[in-house]
Amino acid sequence: MRAGWNWLKGPEPWTRRMLAGDLVLGGVLALLGLGVEELDNGSVQRMAAGAAAVVLLTLARRRLPATTLIVASAVSPFLPGSLLVTVLLGWSAGRRIVGVGRAMAAFTVAFLAAVVFSVVQAWSDERPVLVIVFSTLMFLAMTVMPGLASRYWSQRRTLLQALQERNGQLMRERVMVAGQARLRERQRIAQDMHDSLGHQLALIAVHTGALEVDPQLTERQREAVGVLRQASVAAMHELREVVGILRDGVEAPVPAEEAQPAARGVAGIAGIVEAARSAGTDVRMTVAGRPRPLVAACDHAAYRIVQEALTNAYKHASGAPISVELRYEDDSLVVEIANGPAAGPGVGAVVSGGQGLTGLRERARLVGGMVHAGGTEGGGFRVAGVLPYGAEPAGVEDIADDFGQQAQAQAQAGGFTVAPPPMDWAAVDKELAVGGRSRAGGVAMGCGIAFAAVVLLVIVIGAGVVMLVGSAGSAMISQEDFDKVRVGESEEAVRKKLPDGDSFMTEGLERKGPERPAGSDCLALLSSDDSGLTTNTVFRFCFKDGKLVDKQAYESEQ
């Protein structure tokens, strides 16, 4: 049972909602088919067979688009109630049959089946040419036109999806090219930093190391020189880390013998505070709350905030007391560095690019925190940072492009993913029709299909009117013609005066009205003078043993 269900679903997904929709659609078409059967005076068995065929063909159209189209075209002449489902099957076959050759073959076989079986079914009418023309027009209007429209719509949507995928690939390639360019630039900057700053810092470390063992220096001077040497060594280590990040995107490994006792995080804040005290600066550090671990990015940001704030205090408020406070709140770590007004003249001209606080704000923003810097009431300066315990990457700005995919590609290149935006097919259509020629071509194709459909519909209606007029000529006589016929005349003479009555308009009329003479063969015709809307005047002629034995005129409901 399950294998059969999977086979029926076919390659495309078939949800319960789609199944319910197909059942409802099949039920509606079956009800409409019952109305068609009622107009054609179909039997109960034929009605049931037509309804079952409509439902089964509707359910199987996804798995067997060509087969269902051919079967429906073949059975519709015998089951008029299944005629309407050919519109749905033509639409489905136009979408689902892969390849132009296969689609043409399927529609051709369906057309031949519809024409051949229509001729077989109406062979007694002796009008095969008219049946072939009418069947051809009906097939074009009810099957071919929906198939063409469906195939055009399906191919256009496939083209748009291919353009979307191609655009996404181009966006990813563009991000990769930009990343390669950034990497090359970073490597160049890293090389410049290593060649220039590394050499200068190495000279400082060598000279301060030699100066530290100079016997002519006092103990106080040796301590100051030792602080300088340690600072130069630390600067060399940090330069090595920065160069490693610029080159490879990861921190460069530090040899064990050169590793610093404190990490570049919250644990290292005490070390830089102690180094500041050793250099003669009045620095006090307090810790409040229960210490909690931070992610690496936040931990490093806290260290940099304290380091930059102390550096600014050295530059602009030399000799002023500095307080460093770490407060572990419930949801974040608060780092606050405040200094009083300068105790004396500054240290003179200092090298400053003016980007320190700006860089701190950007660093904090990238981890979901914030930094505030400003003066205090006593003339001092205060730097405070709020950092979450868990990093929250900053959002990616939405950058509009042809299909709205550039932001997604940049987010993936940055190491995290975002949900793809919903596809705006209206925008895609607008962007696809760049030139007037393509837009005009699409409009022309749509107008051509619509015009062809209207022309075919008019032709079908015209052919139906012609057939109706022909049927009326074979089914109607006037009251005067009825009065001319006398009971007792030979059957051959009477039939020469009357139409043959071979029309769908007279089907079943001979069984209505007064009781027929036993063993007689009757011919029922309609009155051409009748103008009733709900009843028809029927003229019935009954023959027996080669003579007209009875003629009746009676009213029959339509």
Side-chain angles (χ1 to χ4, degrees):
M1 181 67 180
R2 189 174 186 84
W5 173 255
N6 293 333
W7 178 86
L8 182 62
K9 290 192 300 183
E12 60 183 286
W14 200 12
T15 62
R16 293 183 178 179
R17 184 175 180 179
M18 296 172 63
L19 174 61
D22 284 350
L23 290 175
V24 171
L25 184 59
V28 171
L29 292 176
L31 290 177
L32 295 176
L34 292 178
V36 174
E37 291 282 2
E38 181 66 25
L39 292 176
D40 197 47
N41 296 318
S43 63
V44 176
Q45 293 81 2
R46 199 173 77 176
M47 291 183 179
V54 168
V55 174
L56 291 177
L57 290 172
T58 302
L59 292 177
R61 64 188 172 88
R62 299 179 184 274
R63 185 64 177 86
L64 301 171
T67 303
T68 53
L69 176 63
I70 296 172
V71 170
S73 300
V75 303
S76 58
F78 305 99
L79 299 176
S82 64
L83 179 63
L84 296 177
V85 80
T86 57
V87 178
L88 174 64
L89 298 179
W91 176 275
S92 180
R95 284 186 56 196
R96 293 182 170 84
I97 297 178
V98 179
V100 178
R102 293 182 179 179
M104 291 184 63
F107 277 86
T108 301
V109 173
F111 166 71
L112 295 176
V115 172
V116 170
F117 286 105
S118 295
V119 172
V120 171
Q121 194 274 337
W123 185 257
S124 59
D125 293 341
E126 298 181 356
R127 297 186 183 89
V129 176
L130 186 60
V131 172
I132 291 174
V133 173
F134 184 76
S135 300
T136 301
L137 295 176
M138 287 292 293
F139 186 84
L140 291 175
M142 300 189 65
T143 307
V144 175
M145 293 307 301
L148 288 176
S150 172
R151 196 162 191 86
Y152 169 75
W153 175 83
S154 177
Q155 289 180 346
R156 181 173 176 82
R157 190 171 182 86
T158 302
L159 173 62
L160 295 179
Q161 290 177 346
L163 289 176
Q164 178 193 10
E165 295 177 0
R166 175 61 176 169
N167 184 75
Q169 180 181 354
L170 291 176
M171 291 299 103
R172 291 190 294 270
E173 291 177 357
R174 189 166 73 179
V175 170
M176 292 174 61
V177 170
Q180 291 293 332
R182 286 195 300 269
L183 181 59
R184 288 194 297 268
E185 182 65 15
R186 288 167 59 175
Q187 290 176 346
R188 185 190 65 80
I189 296 173
Q191 187 64 40
D192 291 344
M193 292 177 62
H194 179 271
D195 294 343
S196 60
L197 296 181
H199 176 70
Q200 299 297 332
L201 290 175
L203 288 178
I204 294 174
V206 170
H207 286 292
T208 53
L211 187 61
E212 188 177 9
V213 297
D214 190 341
Q216 297 181 2
L217 296 181
T218 64
E219 189 64 29
R220 176 63 179 170
Q221 290 173 334
R222 286 195 181 92
E223 292 179 0
V225 172
V227 171
L228 291 176
R229 185 183 63 82
Q230 292 178 0
S232 64
V233 172
M236 290 180 64
H237 291 162
E238 293 191 9
L239 177 62
R240 181 179 297 174
E241 293 178 3
V242 172
V243 168
I245 294 174
L246 286 175
R247 282 180 174 173
D248 306 322
V250 297
E251 294 188 3
V254 180
E257 62 273 10
E258 298 182 6
Q260 296 297 303
R264 297 296 184 264
V266 174
I269 294 178
I272 58 176
V273 169
E274 184 61 32
R277 289 200 191 103
S278 301
T281 305
D282 183 11
V283 183
R284 297 184 302 276
M285 177 178 174
T286 59
V287 179
R290 182 175 60 87
R292 296 175 57 179
L294 286 80
V295 296
C298 294
D299 198 37
H300 192 65
Y303 177 86
R304 291 303 184 192
I305 290 173
V306 175
Q307 186 184 48
E308 181 65 23
L310 290 177
T311 301
N312 287 338
Y314 301 155
K315 293 178 181 179
H316 305 293
S318 178
I322 304 173
S323 63
V324 178
E325 183 179 4
L326 303 179
R327 295 199 304 272
Y328 290 91
E329 304 288 350
D330 293 335
D331 56 352
S332 59
L333 170 65
V334 179
V335 181
E336 184 174 346
I337 304 94
N339 61 269
V347 296
V350 293
V351 178
S352 177
Q355 300 297 319
L357 293 177
T358 302
L360 290 183
R361 293 190 181 96
E362 179 65 16
R363 185 187 295 272
R365 188 191 70 82
L366 290 175
V367 298
M370 59 179 295
V371 170
H372 170 77
T376 60
E377 295 181 357
F381 197 79
R382 173 177 171 271
V383 177
V386 180
L387 302 172
Y389 295 117
E392 298 178 0
V396 178
E397 297 181 0
D398 294 331
I399 303 176
D401 63 1
D402 293 346
F403 293 90
Q405 295 176 316
Q406 183 170 343
Q408 180 185 2
Q410 289 182 347
Q412 293 175 348
F416 58 93
T417 59
V418 295
M423 194 62 183
D424 186 0
W425 289 109
V428 173
D429 287 338
K430 182 178 179 181
E431 293 295 335
L432 182 63
V434 178
R437 182 176 301 176
S438 61
R439 184 183 295 110
V443 173
M445 181 176 291
C447 292
I449 293 176
F451 178 75
V454 172
V455 170
L456 286 175
L457 183 60
V458 171
I459 294 175
V460 169
I461 293 176
V465 171
V466 171
M467 291 188 65
L468 182 61
V469 172
S471 297
S474 301
M476 291 185 176
I477 61 172
S478 64
Q479 181 68 44
E480 183 180 358
D481 293 334
F482 176 75
D483 295 336
K484 289 181 180 179
V485 178
R486 303 298 180 182
V487 176
E489 291 186 52
S490 66
E491 180 178 356
E492 182 180 358
V494 173
R495 288 190 180 273
K496 288 182 178 180
K497 298 178 183 179
L498 302 176
D500 57 12
D502 190 5
S503 172
F504 70 93
M505 300 174 64
T506 60
E507 187 174 352
L509 291 179
E510 73 278 1
R511 296 190 296 270
K512 300 180 180 179
E515 184 178 355
R516 296 182 299 171
S520 64
D521 181 23
C522 298
L523 170 65
L525 301 173
L526 294 173
S527 173
S528 60
D529 304 325
D530 195 4
S531 59
L533 297 178
T534 59
T535 60
N536 291 320
T537 300
V538 180
F539 298 137
R540 189 180 68 184
F541 303 90
C542 295
F543 304 95
K544 184 177 181 181
D545 298 332
K547 294 183 179 181
L548 178 65
V549 296
D550 182 63
K551 73 172 186 176
Q552 298 285 343
Y554 54 88
E555 301 293 328
S556 174
E557 294 185 356
Q558 292 185 356

